[in-house]
Structure formats: C-alpha cells, structure tokens
Amino acid sequence: ENKSNSSTNSINNQFDETNLFKSSLSIDEKIRIALTVGEEVLTIDELEGLFKAKDHPVVYDGFEPSGRMHIAQGVLRAINVNKLTSIGCVFKFWVADWFAQLNNKLDGDLAKIKTVGLYMIEIWKAIGMNMQNVQFLWASDEINNNADQYWSLVMDIARTNNLARIQRCCTIMGRKETDEMSAAQIFYPCMQCADVFFLKADICQLGMDQRKVNMLAREYAGAKKKKFKPVIISHHMIMGLKEGQEKMSKSDPDSAIFMEDTVEDLNRKIKKAYCPPQIIEKNPIVDYVKQIILAYYGVITIPIHKEEGSETIDYTNYEDVERDYLSGKIHPSDLKPAVAATLNRILEPVRIHFASGEPKKLLDKIKKFKITR
C-alpha cells in the first residue's frame, strides 16, 4: 500500500509549476490549435475570453485505470495533450482510482487500480507525451487530503439536481440509463462534476461520450452564478474495428488496437477489420488514418495496385486519402496493410519501453489482473 503511494507521489513531484511552458502564439492561433482537438467546442467565445485572461488555462481529463489501454487513449490522448500544452495550457490528469473502484473495475481492488494507473502513465511517456505542463493527480489521495472541500461540492451538486438528471449522465460510465445500477454509481456523476470545480478546471477535455456530465458542470456553474463556466472541448470517439461499433471496447479485445499489442495481433485485427470499399461512412480503418496516423505520424505510404503495375503514394493530407478511397483508386486490400505497417511503427517505441527493466515488471504484473467490465 505505502509503496504504491510513494510511487504515485514521485510522479506528482515531477510537475513543477514554476517552470511551465508559456506560448508566444497569438490568441487566434491558440484558438485555431485548440479547435483541432474538439469535435465539439462549447463555446468558442468563452475559449477566446480564457486565452485573453490567462497564459496557462487549466485543462482537465479524468481516466479510470481499469485495464489495458487502447490506441485512442494512448496515441490520440498524447496528440491532444501535446496540442494543448503547446499553446500554454496546463493539463491536469485526474487519475480516477476511486471512481474505478466505485465502478467495480479490477474487482474494486485499489492497489491493483493504482498499479494500472502507473502503467498508463508509463505508456504516455513512451509514446512521446510532453510532460512539462502535465500534472497527474490521484483522486484517492487528493480527496482524502481535501475531504471537506471535495465532499461539500459533491453534496451541493447532488442537492442542486434531481435523480432523473443524474441518471441521464450514467452513460459516462459506459452504462445504459436503463441498466441496473448500484447506489454508488449514482454518486459517480456528482463526483465527476465536482472534479471540474475541485481541480479549478477552465476547460474539460474529454471524449464526446462524457458530454452529459460536462454539460451538468456548465449548468451547475450557471445555477451558482459562477463567473466562468467550464469550456468543453469534446474529442471524437474512434470507432471500434468491427462493423457497427461506434466506439472501442476494452472488454472486446478485437474491437481495438491496444498499446501493447504484438505486431502479429495488430496485423490480424486490421486484416479482419470492417473496411467497405469506396465507403468512408462508419469505416474504422479510414477513421484510424485520419484520427491517429496522420495526426501523429503526418504521413501514410500506400502502395496502389493497378493492372499496369503499382505505384506508391505518400499521403500527408486526409482529404486526398478520402478522395482516392471514394473513387476506388485506394482499395481496402491496399489500405489495410499500409495502416497496419504505420501503426506498428507508431507503437514500436512503446513495445521497446516495456520489453525490459521496471516497465516490463509492471506490464507482467498487470497481465495477471482479471479485467472486469
């Protein structure tokens, strides 16, 4: 127990608020970059006001350490953090270990949950997340150390809302509104809403699936006549690899590429993935090209096979990929191997990182945990 606390503390101590990166970009340029992170932004005017008022707006995202990390949480998260810290934001990661326990992840074992949290931070380091303006805060430690402040907020949010409003938020936990829920899970949205104010977050930067609770935070700020409502920047949810999967699922290993997948696993999953020819809509392989490969790597090299021979094209622009895929110039049998090869290159530093030393021990430990939904 103490050992995991000391390791979580050592991570917190690496953040130095006297040495933050300050961006010299214009406000318009900062807004332009921030908008590339979000599929939806509420509101752009408020975002502009924030950048006028602050060099270092505080951005928050929470994550439950609940098992393995898929590529959206690994690579897309690193891309978005690096974009926001490059414009001077401070990114506070709320390591929601207590929340994972409430949601009964890893059988509610807090020591295991903390171990998975440390593993996730190691992955982000390996994939190239710039940590200068990034702070990791462990919910269990922070809440215990500031209990009066935190629980007063939770109680006030619970008092301000009726049960139906809170239940509508339960989709944030990957549960349906009609699911049988424990009483603890009714607490969850009230606590997640409290996190925003407890962390003094200016911006909530979570996925579109977390939109309901972020809206709850904006409503609460309005009800309490707070000076600023939190700005919401919601990122796109990357599709699952199977037909009709709107998002990846940790409980279905074939629905996503995971950060520690072997080359063979990755190749097999991409080969099997849903990828209808000449259709962009709900096509996960095309989604990966746009959201992960071009955003992280900047280029995808696709060999185009034609009757008169083949040519290799370097695509650096998503619109060109889309045009050539819709026209049939790029066929799924050309696209899939190119996607697999590029994803393997992106994940190579992570594989090397976890192949030896302390990171390997950490991964071996986690592989023994049973992942609960």
Side-chain angles (χ1 to χ4, degrees):
E1 185 58 65
N2 293 345
K3 193 166 173 225
S4 81
N5 278 347
S6 64
S7 50
T8 58
N9 287 340
S10 72
I11 283 170
N12 299 349
N13 294 343
Q14 287 167 10
F15 175 73
D16 177 5
E17 55 191 31
T18 62
N19 181 34
L20 295 176
F21 172 75
K22 186 179 167 186
S23 169
S24 56
L25 293 172
S26 69
I27 286 170
D28 285 351
E29 190 58 15
K30 286 179 180 178
I31 291 166
R32 188 193 65 74
I33 292 169
L35 293 181
T36 65
V37 171
E39 189 162 79
E40 177 185 66
V41 176
L42 297 169
T43 67
I44 295 172
D45 287 350
E46 290 169 14
L47 191 64
E48 185 175 354
L50 251 184
F51 282 118
K52 281 180 177 162
K54 295 187 173 191
D55 287 332
H56 303 294
V58 173
V59 184
Y60 128 87
D61 178 25
F63 68 93
E64 268 190 32
S66 59
R68 301 166 71 199
M69 188 192 276
H70 55 54
I71 198 162
Q73 198 173 19
V75 179
L76 187 65
R77 175 35 78 225
I79 292 166
N80 287 339
V81 168
N82 288 353
K83 281 179 179 176
L84 291 167
T85 56
S86 78
I87 56 177
C89 294
V90 168
F91 209 102
K92 287 187 182 181
F93 271 109
W94 186 238
V95 190
D97 49 1
W98 255 24
F99 291 73
Q101 193 175 32
L102 272 183
N103 213 355
N104 204 32
K105 298 289 173 75
L106 298 166
D107 299 323
D109 182 330
L110 199 60
K112 283 184 179 174
I113 290 166
K114 282 199 160 185
T115 304
V116 173
L118 291 169
Y119 157 71
M120 293 170 88
I121 293 167
E122 280 298 314
I123 290 181
W124 284 320
K125 286 183 191 165
I127 202 71
M129 186 183 283
N130 181 346
M131 295 291 179
Q132 186 180 356
N133 283 23
V134 173
Q135 182 177 26
F136 291 95
L137 296 161
W138 298 75
S140 57
D141 298 341
E142 295 298 318
I143 292 170
N144 286 335
N145 293 338
N146 306 279
D148 51 344
Q149 185 196 348
Y150 186 79
W151 291 114
S152 302
L153 256 173
V154 174
M155 299 291 275
D156 198 53
I157 289 162
R159 272 209 319 266
T160 309
N161 289 282
N162 64 25
L163 191 57
R165 178 69 186 90
I166 298 299
Q167 244 171 320
R168 281 213 307 279
C169 286
C170 284
T171 50
I172 62 172
M173 298 183 288
R175 315 272 167 188
K176 295 188 185 72
E177 282 178 48
T178 51
D179 277 4
E180 186 65 38
M181 285 189 305
S182 71
Q185 287 168 327
I186 298 289
F187 273 104
Y188 196 112
C190 300
M191 289 169 68
Q192 188 171 322
C193 182
D195 297 342
V196 177
F197 302 100
F198 180 70
L199 296 170
K200 300 182 171 56
D202 301 306
I203 298 170
C204 303
Q205 206 287 279
L206 295 90
M208 287 294 284
D209 60 337
Q210 302 295 307
R211 186 180 182 280
K212 286 181 180 172
V213 79
N214 292 331
M215 292 305 292
L216 187 73
R218 282 180 65 84
E219 286 166 24
Y220 177 72
K224 292 288 151 184
K225 303 197 167 36
K226 289 185 179 286
K227 195 173 166 195
F228 295 109
K229 289 180 181 176
V231 172
I232 304 173
I233 301 181
S234 302
H235 62 253
H236 170 79
M237 302 299 294
I238 292 182
M239 296 168 206
L241 290 172
K242 296 178 178 176
E243 185 173 359
Q245 282 182 328
E246 283 184 14
K247 58 182 267 196
M248 302 171 168
S249 162
K250 285 184 188 150
S251 53
D252 176 1
D254 280 0
S255 73
I257 299 302
F258 288 88
M259 295 301 285
E260 74 278 4
D261 277 354
T262 62
V263 173
E264 296 72 28
D265 272 340
L266 188 149
N267 290 345
R268 175 183 59 79
K269 289 181 191 181
I270 295 295
K271 192 172 180 178
K272 269 175 48 182
Y274 178 64
C275 186
Q278 293 180 269
I279 296 173
I280 295 293
E281 206 58 27
K282 298 192 173 161
N283 183 329
I285 296 297
V286 175
D287 202 29
Y288 268 60
V289 172
K290 181 180 184 181
Q291 301 292 338
I292 293 179
I293 291 177
L294 291 176
Y296 181 85
Y297 210 67
V299 62
I300 182 167
T301 303
I302 305 175
I304 309 288
H305 294 93
K306 295 185 285 199
E307 282 173 17
E308 62 273 20
S310 61
E311 60 168 324
T312 300
I313 303 179
D314 289 337
Y315 289 93
T316 53
N317 186 322
Y318 171 71
E319 284 69 28
D320 296 342
V321 177
E322 185 173 298
R323 181 197 64 225
D324 287 357
Y325 192 80
L326 285 170
S327 75
K329 181 176 176 179
I330 301 174
H331 190 266
S333 61
D334 298 324
L335 185 61
K336 282 182 169 185
V339 165
T342 316
L343 291 175
N344 276 318
R345 276 209 297 280
I346 291 172
L347 294 186
E348 196 52 32
V350 179
R351 291 183 186 130
I352 292 167
H353 186 72
F354 284 98
S356 61
E358 287 301 316
K360 183 177 189 303
K361 283 184 202 159
L362 193 57
L363 180 58
D364 290 343
K365 200 167 166 185
I366 280 159
K367 280 184 172 166
K368 296 190 181 93
F369 298 164
K370 189 168 128 291
I371 307 300
T372 44
R373 174 172 175 250

